[in-house]
């Protein structure tokens, strides 16, 4: 089967606002990523020549940055410190066509930054700590 490569311009990020409605943030974002990690427990013993490991717990964060928009800021401000973990839908290769990769789950907004420079655009950057499993599907 031939591999199909995708351009990043179709990436898509949606999050649930404090009222439980899904909001597409993609129109203001120009960079985003999901970082998935796996803890390992070392089980090497005396006499071994090579290290051995057991699979431990998974962890993930989503980071994004881009152009400030007051409508997006209202959503992000509303879930910062929210006691219910908002859900997300992250599609690194776009969300409109069949067969595209979709990652979903819930998380906490742990970092939110707005920046402005006298000679440049107003920016936003944020990070979500994923709580629980990340579900990976093709849609």
């Amino acid at each position: 089967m031939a591999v199909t490569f995708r351009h990043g311009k179709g990436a898509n990020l949606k999050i649930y606002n404090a009222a439980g409605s899904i909001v597409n943030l993609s129109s203001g974002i120009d960079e985003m990523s999901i970082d998935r990690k796996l803890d390992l427990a070392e089980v090497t013993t005396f006499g071994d020549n090579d290290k051995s490991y057991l699979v431990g717990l998974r962890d993930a964060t989503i980071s994004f940055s881009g152009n400030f928009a007051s409508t997006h800021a209202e959503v992000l401000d509303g879930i910062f410190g929210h006691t219910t973990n908002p859900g997300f839908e992250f599609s690194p290769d776009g969300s409109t066509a069949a067969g595209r990769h979709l990652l979903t789950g819930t998380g906490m907004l742990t970092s939110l930054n707005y920046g402005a420079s006298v000679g440049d655009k107003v920016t936003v950057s944020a990070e979500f700590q994923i709580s629980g499993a990340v579900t990976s599907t093709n849609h």
Side-chain angles (χ1 to χ4, degrees), residues 20-102:
S21 299
I22 197 157
V23 178
N24 190 337
L25 298 180
S26 305
S27 63
I29 298 172
D30 58 20
E31 187 172 333
M32 61 184 167
S33 65
I34 186 167
D35 184 20
R36 299 172 78 183
K37 298 178 183 178
L38 178 67
D39 292 337
L40 298 175
E42 185 178 344
V43 292
T44 309
T45 61
F46 292 117
D48 290 343
N49 290 320
D50 301 293
K51 289 184 175 185
S52 297
Y53 297 90
L54 293 175
V55 172
L57 300 172
R58 295 179 292 196
D59 192 15
T61 57
I62 292 178
S63 301
F64 64 88
S65 61
N67 305 315
F68 173 86
S70 59
T71 54
H72 293 163
E74 185 177 333
V75 172
L76 296 171
D77 290 341
I79 62 172
F80 191 71
H82 203 267
T83 57
T84 303
N85 295 339
F88 68 88
E89 294 181 6
F90 180 89
S91 184
D93 60 345
S95 66
T96 58
R100 301 296 172 102
H101 196 65
L102 179 65

